[in-house]
Amino acid sequence: MAADALNPLRGIMFKVLSVVVFLVMQTCIKAAGPDIPAGQITFYRSAFAILPIAIYLTFRRDLLAAFRTDNFLGHLKRGFLGILAMACGFYGLVHLPLPDAIAIGYASPLMAVVFAAVILGETVRFYRWTAVFIGIFGVLIISWPKLTMFREGGFASEQALGALAVLLSAVLGGLAMVQVRQLVRTEKTSTIVLYFSLTASVFALVSLPFGWASLPLKPALLLIASGICGGIAQIFLTESYRHADVSTIAPFEYTSILLGIAVAFLLFGDIPTTTMLIGTAITVSAGIFIIYREHQLGLERKAARRASPPAS
């Protein structure tokens, strides 16, 4: 590791900052209102994220280099999966209480483990499979009260559709994570971040003929702010990986649920339900266990490499 990578406290600080700013982004989207099409929200989120990302890359003198890629098709795949995941997630965000949307979204890294095993052929042993299934069970506990609302109609059915949308977003997000794992083998982080915002913006424009809302000033400003916040949060997240191992900072992702509950109560009057809290506790525990196992396996692989004699 480089010298600047040996500062886990700084890495944790950047990770928590990214969680906070991502939550501000989600709050802006939710505050903009439920009547804005998901494709339109996704365009604002992607297009205006380019501004802080471009400034950041320019400051690092990495902007022109970030445009160089040998895998443009891979970036298109990642952008397509990412834009679908965001659109579904944003639809669920505006139709669900904020903590529920955040908690159901925790299924995404669980799905990434499944897809990494199926698509990339990664070895996933009993403990991690068990954690994945327990985590998915926790997500179902959170989602089930919303899904049963299909029978009641009205706003309740909108919450059911929102829960399904966030679940679909988690599946698509898991596929996107697998695509990123393939990209990082040959592509720079700055290239992946920049091309995602660019391709996602273009893909989101496809939804324009299907009808975008005419936005008053306040919702428009909130969506612009959501995009800028999304770009800034991505920068903080990238910086966190420069200063600490993934296994060190990943558990701090779950601080978002505590902050989300507080914001939802103060701004939107949402009170967490018992099933939501129980399901979240199960899902978060499973996610942290997977992170722990990944860390342990990483240490074992390093030890095995040190113990292996050099090839003659």
Side-chain angles (χ1 to χ4, degrees):
M1 278 190 177
D4 65 348
L6 301 176
N7 194 333
L9 287 179
R10 183 174 293 180
I12 291 168
M13 178 193 72
F14 277 118
K15 175 63 177 180
V16 172
L17 282 173
S18 76
V19 169
V20 171
V21 182
F22 271 129
L23 181 61
V24 174
M25 178 202 79
Q26 292 173 308
T27 303
C28 288
I29 291 170
K30 191 166 182 62
D35 299 323
I36 304 172
Q40 186 174 3
I41 296 173
T42 307
F43 173 78
Y44 276 84
R45 159 64 180 89
S46 304
F48 285 95
I50 296 173
L51 178 61
I53 290 171
I55 293 172
Y56 168 74
L57 294 178
T58 300
F59 176 77
R60 294 188 61 87
R61 298 181 180 179
D62 203 21
L63 181 60
L64 293 179
F67 280 99
R68 301 191 191 103
T69 178
D70 296 321
N71 192 0
F72 184 69
L73 181 60
H75 289 290
L76 284 179
K77 290 179 182 177
R78 191 266 188 271
F80 181 70
L81 290 169
I83 199 70
L84 290 178
M86 278 202 296
C88 291
F90 293 155
Y91 179 88
L93 180 63
V94 298
H95 289 98
L96 286 175
L98 181 60
D100 294 63
I102 293 173
I104 296 173
Y106 289 155
S108 188
L110 302 176
M111 298 308 301
V113 174
V114 176
F115 293 134
V118 174
I119 299 174
L120 300 182
E122 293 185 6
T123 301
V124 178
R125 294 185 175 88
F126 175 78
Y127 290 113
R128 278 191 292 168
W129 277 124
T130 302
V132 166
F133 288 121
I134 291 174
I136 292 174
F137 177 69
V139 170
L140 289 176
I141 290 176
I142 303 166
S143 308
W144 191 250
K146 306 293 185 298
L147 298 180
T148 55
M149 290 179 181
F150 272 125
R151 297 192 299 266
E152 301 173 17
F155 177 73
S157 65
E158 288 184 353
Q159 286 206 353
L161 289 173
L164 284 176
V166 179
L167 286 170
L168 179 57
S169 173
V171 173
L172 292 167
L175 287 170
M177 288 182 190
V178 170
Q179 183 62 30
V180 170
R181 287 191 187 184
Q182 293 177 309
L183 284 171
V184 295
R185 295 171 181 171
T186 58
E187 301 290 291
K188 296 170 60 177
T189 300
S190 57
T191 302
I192 296 171
V193 171
L194 180 62
Y195 271 96
F196 173 65
S197 291
L198 291 172
T199 55
S201 300
V202 173
F203 282 130
L205 281 174
V206 175
S207 67
L208 180 59
F210 296 96
W212 282 12
S214 178
L215 297 180
L217 180 61
K218 182 180 177 180
L221 290 176
L222 285 169
L223 291 185
I224 291 170
S226 76
I228 293 173
C229 287
I232 293 172
Q234 189 64 55
I235 292 168
F236 284 149
L237 184 62
T238 302
E239 283 297 319
S240 72
Y241 291 134
R242 294 182 187 277
H243 298 285
D245 293 332
V246 173
S247 58
T248 300
I249 62 176
F252 290 88
E253 175 68 30
Y254 296 111
T255 59
S256 61
I257 192 62
L258 300 176
L259 296 171
I261 289 172
V263 169
F265 177 74
L266 293 173
L267 296 184
F268 305 109
D270 294 332
I271 299 175
T273 63
T274 302
T275 53
M276 178 266 170
L277 293 174
I278 293 173
T280 300
I282 293 172
T283 304
V284 168
S285 299
I288 291 176
F289 180 78
I290 288 173
I291 294 167
Y292 169 77
R293 286 295 298 169
E294 291 280 1
H295 177 63
Q296 292 297 111
L297 291 172
L299 293 177
E300 291 174 10
R301 285 191 289 266
K302 287 180 182 178
R305 283 196 295 268
R306 286 196 297 267
S308 299
S312 57

